[in-house]
Amino acid sequence: MGSSSRLFVCFLLWGSLELCNPQPVWHDESQHLMPSKPPAVMVECQEAQLVVTVSKDLFGTGKLIRPADLTLGPDNCEPLVSLDTDTVVRFEVGLHACGNSVQVTDDALVYSTFLFHNPRPVGNLSILRTNRAEVPIECRYPRQGNVSSWAILPTWVPFRTTMFSEEKLVFSLRLMEENWSAEKTTPTFQLGDRAHLQAQVHTGSHVPLRVFVDHCVATLTPDWSTSPYHTIVDFHGCLVDGLTDASSAFKTPRPRPETLQFTVDVFHFANDSRNTIYITCHLKVTPVDRVPDQISKACSFSKSSSRWSPVEGPVDICRCCNEGRCGVSGRSRRLTHREGQSVPRSRRHVTEEADVTVGPLIFLGKTSDHGVEGSTSSPPSVMLGLGLATVVSLTLATIVLGFTGRRRAASHPVCPASASQ
């Protein structure tokens, strides 16, 4: 697999934006930036396994966590047995163990998983003093190159050359930083943020091409055919998500013909507790000298002018976005929940289109979480109020009945004659 890759760990707390990276402090004597303390979670990406080291002072508060509350991956792998005197907890698992997922990009193999901290009450107590947390963990291994011994010089054509000669077009969809300068290092967002997405095609030795986003859909899982779903781009390049209360739009102008950038206002699905989504887009290319048309276009809706406008090409190619019928058939050759799975494409043939998925996008501090907390706290308050009202009502009734009885006794005295009878 090659040498160990650099770790990628972002420490997430529910409703918090704190990162588990060491914060630099200024050293007065040496005038250098020095780390104040090591990170709470460290990952070593080895050739066939990943090693995760977790500080027992996970939250940096001095309150040590219990190793039994830590698990790794969807399969809930347990840590290695550690002594009570140890200050860290270690996991050593294979790259394909614990339910780890693998994603193949154009330049790397990406193994990803989660470290879970799920505290449980101690003994007969029903309280917790630490928070539940998830730590996304990612290891990247470069795949464009040869794996061979230093002592042997290869006499064959390198794999990278072979791959690009047989599969000339490589499509990609990435999350980018806000300034578009680099790929986003952490997939976390707050509701109200914007996701910056970049679609790209690597042409190799192919003629110059222009890439288009034909259709995009957001789902809760990597399977785009599941429900619920939300359509972001439709009708051969109409960014329909910008028609609602969002400001989603394509970036104008393009940085290069083979690259198309666009923003999507972050959202989550109502009535669902999951805080992750996946975005799957159908990408396609045309020759760079071909004028964009209704089938191959990138159109955004401007609320200020109430008009559609293209990234390039004639303005009238976006008029069909209002009608929802673009091209001869009036429908995108796209992902669809009604037509079933798309036609599989061979990895060893040149293709002019592909389906690419990015995710998961992780959202922090969902407003629905606060609504749930409010709803769970209201019943005890209502019951307490009803109980107090009942006690007060009974007390007043007793006082009134006692006072009325005394007045009746005083107004109707008992005669001695009747008493003798």
Side-chain angles (χ1 to χ4, degrees):
M1 188 66 70
S3 61
S4 299
S5 173
R6 294 289 297 173
L7 65 88
F8 165 73
V9 178
C10 174
F11 177 52
L12 305 179
L13 297 177
W14 295 104
S16 174
L17 288 176
E18 297 179 359
L19 301 177
C20 107
N21 291 324
Q23 299 297 323
V25 295
W26 189 261
H27 194 276
D28 294 335
E29 296 179 0
S30 62
Q31 299 295 310
H32 292 289
L33 288 174
M34 300 182 61
S36 59
K37 61 179 180 179
V41 180
M42 294 185 295
V43 176
E44 182 182 357
C45 302
Q46 298 180 357
E47 182 175 350
Q49 68 177 2
L50 59 90
V51 179
V52 182
T53 304
V54 186
S55 172
K56 288 187 177 180
D57 188 11
L58 182 61
F59 299 94
T61 60
K63 180 68 176 179
L64 302 184
I65 62 172
R66 296 183 303 165
D69 293 337
L70 292 175
T71 56
L72 187 68
D75 295 345
N76 296 322
C77 291
E78 297 179 353
L80 300 176
V81 178
S82 59
L83 301 176
D84 293 337
T85 57
D86 293 343
T87 59
V88 297
V89 181
R90 287 172 58 87
F91 293 84
E92 294 183 6
V93 300
L95 293 177
H96 297 275
C98 301
N100 299 344
S101 62
V102 59
Q103 181 182 4
V104 181
T105 66
D106 59 324
D107 58 355
L109 294 176
V110 183
Y111 292 87
S112 57
T113 186
F114 284 86
L115 173 70
F116 298 98
H117 176 247
N118 190 15
R120 289 163 289 184
V122 180
N124 296 326
L125 298 178
S126 60
I127 62 172
L128 295 173
R129 300 190 184 277
T130 55
N131 293 329
R132 186 178 183 274
E134 288 186 15
V135 183
I137 295 175
E138 189 174 282
C139 284
R140 292 177 174 266
Y141 296 86
R143 61 185 290 258
Q144 289 187 352
N146 298 311
V147 179
S148 61
S149 172
W150 286 98
I152 301 176
L153 295 176
T155 58
W156 57 86
V157 178
F159 171 73
R160 178 171 55 185
T161 304
T162 304
M163 180 186 66
F164 277 109
S165 64
E166 296 180 355
E167 186 183 28
K168 295 182 176 63
L169 302 184
V170 179
F171 294 87
S172 64
L173 182 66
R174 293 188 178 92
L175 278 173
M176 305 296 291
E177 297 290 351
E178 292 185 3
N179 58 3
W180 305 100
S181 61
E183 189 171 359
K184 189 174 175 60
T185 57
T186 168
T188 58
F189 296 89
Q190 288 280 355
L191 294 178
D193 292 346
R194 290 182 182 176
H196 293 67
L197 298 168
Q198 177 172 290
Q200 192 170 10
V201 59
H202 298 271
T203 59
S205 59
H206 202 281
V207 296
L209 297 171
R210 180 183 287 116
V211 67
F212 291 97
V213 179
D214 194 69
H215 181 76
C216 278
V217 63
T219 53
L220 289 167
T221 67
D223 183 4
W224 53 262
S225 62
T226 58
S227 294
Y229 65 94
H230 174 68
T231 302
I232 299 174
V233 179
D234 205 352
F235 311 123
H236 300 295
C238 303
L239 212 162
V240 294
D241 187 61
L243 285 171
T244 59
D245 56 350
S247 58
S248 306
F250 287 108
K251 184 177 181 292
T252 305
R254 293 173 182 257
R256 295 171 299 277
E258 66 272 16
T259 302
L260 182 60
Q261 299 169 335
F262 61 103
T263 60
V264 176
D265 287 11
V266 167
F267 61 89
H268 70 90
F269 289 95
N271 302 323
D272 193 284
S273 59
R274 284 170 286 185
N275 64 335
T276 59
I277 67 168
Y278 294 80
I279 297 178
T280 302
C281 292
H282 184 78
L283 309 182
K284 66 181 183 181
V285 294
T286 62
V288 71
D289 56 354
R290 174 181 168 182
V291 178
D293 52 25
Q294 291 187 359
I295 299 297
S296 302
K297 63 183 182 300
C299 296
S300 303
F301 184 76
S302 173
K303 292 184 177 64
S304 59
S305 61
S306 298
R307 296 177 57 187
W308 289 90
S309 58
V311 174
E312 64 266 304
V315 178
D316 57 358
I317 63 176
C318 296
R319 292 178 182 175
C320 62
C321 294
N322 289 322
E323 304 172 357
R325 297 184 60 86
C326 297
V328 177
S329 63
R331 300 184 62 187
S332 300
R333 184 181 177 186
R334 56 173 182 164
L335 307 169
T336 171
H337 293 257
R338 298 179 180 177
E339 295 176 351
Q341 298 290 336
S342 60
V343 178
R345 303 177 176 87
S346 171
R347 285 183 52 82
R348 292 303 177 186
H349 294 83
V350 177
T351 61
E352 295 182 352
E353 51 189 306
D355 300 334
V356 188
T357 301
V358 64
L361 280 68
I362 305 173
F363 309 121
L364 305 176
K366 287 174 59 174
T367 56
S368 59
D369 298 337
H370 301 289
V372 171
E373 293 177 1
S375 62
T376 56
S377 62
S378 58
S381 301
V382 173
M383 294 300 296
L384 179 60
L386 291 176
L388 291 176
T390 302
V391 172
V392 172
S393 299
L394 292 176
T395 303
L396 291 175
T398 303
I399 294 174
V400 171
L401 290 175
F403 181 73
T404 304
R406 290 180 181 179
R407 291 190 61 183
R408 288 179 178 176
S411 59
H412 300 282
V414 179
C415 296
S418 60
S420 61
Q421 292 177 359

